[in-house]
Amino acid sequence: MAALLFRPGPNLAPEAHRIARALLEDAARNRGGRVSSTADGTWRLVAAPPALDMARRALSAVLNGRDAALVTEALAVPPAPIETGTGLEAILSARPVIGLLEFRPILGFGPGGVPRPAGLRVLPSASAIASALGPAWAGEPWKSHAWGLVARRAPGLVPDTEGGLHLDLPPEALGEGAPGFLPVLPPRALACPPPVPFAVDGPGAAALALIDPARLPGAVLHLAHDPALHALPGEFWRQLGPGRVVLEGVADAAAAEWGLAQGIARFSGPWADRLLAVLRRRSG
């Protein structure tokens, strides 16, 4: 772990300051880090090096030489090293891998607005991994050392799913022609998109407000529902292609109705889970 310090200068525009803070908070929320501020206005993001590097690049693009300083520092007390190799392999071989996975059913709407199952996203369960292997494994170390191997076994563990399997993978674990699933890659993979169809986890609302939606690659975009998305104009969604979007974390009908009004037709989260449960009961 390390830390990225963001020190805004006295002449930094409030809008640039706000966007920079939102990027730090988004990195902490989605990459297992934590962010804090001090009395002198410095913001400090503590996270694994890959997450810090991604946050630094995003902040540099936003600031573009404006009045602020970005400083990376090592933590005073580094975490204990994580052992890999035969010990991890033994743990994984003795434990059902399916218990280390999180499943997010996807609800879709077909012709005439008929609800139907539209896929399943499978990703590592941070809480299950921390319980089984220890808290140090729950974040980037797991993704770097083990998740690629476990993810390759996931399609064989999950029954055939209407709408397909969306499987989270780090870019380095993606092989050409990966069969049986659509890989979901982190936003950093957009810097060098793979030659096979893929989905993207994000970007967050703050980053979306800064990009050209027509140039954002990916067959599917898994976007976390955030009220900040509502401020994006309708033209943004038309250029992005709402048919590519899976809106995640949808908690109620109001969020789903907003998504439908933008042309989004795939959802996951508590509201989608409830509707899918009703569909299963009716079909059973």
Side-chain angles (χ1 to χ4, degrees), residues 48 175 230 259:
H230 298 201

Side-chain angles (χ1 to χ4, degrees), residues 65-226:
R66 283 178 281 188
D67 188 15
L70 296 175
V71 180
T72 304
E73 63 175 21
L75 293 183
V77 181
I82 297 175
E83 297 181 2
T84 61
T86 56
L88 174 63
E89 292 168 4
I91 291 173
L92 292 178
S93 64
R95 183 178 299 274
V97 171
I98 197 168
L100 303 178
L101 305 178
E102 176 186 342
F103 300 94
R104 296 182 185 173
I106 300 170
L107 171 74
F109 288 87
V114 178
R116 58 180 177 79
L120 180 68
R121 184 176 177 187
V122 181
L123 60 164
S125 169
S127 59
I129 291 166
S131 176
L133 307 178
W137 273 104
E140 290 295 330
W142 168 264
K143 295 177 184 178
S144 300
H145 296 292
W147 175 234
L149 297 174
V150 173
R152 290 285 167 178
R153 297 164 57 186
L157 301 171
V158 181
D160 290 340
T161 303
E162 183 179 348
L165 184 64
H166 299 216
L167 181 62
D168 281 48
L169 280 173
E172 55 271 18
L174 179 63
E176 290 190 11
F181 57 86
L182 181 70
V184 181
L185 306 180
R188 62 188 171 93
L190 295 176
C192 185
V196 297
F198 67 96
V200 184
D201 179 23
L208 285 172
L210 303 172
I211 65 173
D212 179 355
R215 294 182 178 273
L216 185 62
V220 175
L221 305 172
H222 287 266
L223 303 183
H225 178 254
D226 181 338

Side-chain angles (χ1 to χ4, degrees), residues 107-108 114-117 274-284:
L107 171 74
V114 178
R116 58 180 177 79
R274 290 193 294 270
L275 191 48
L276 285 168
V278 171
L279 293 176
R280 284 192 295 269
R281 287 196 298 269
R282 288 177 178 175
S283 62

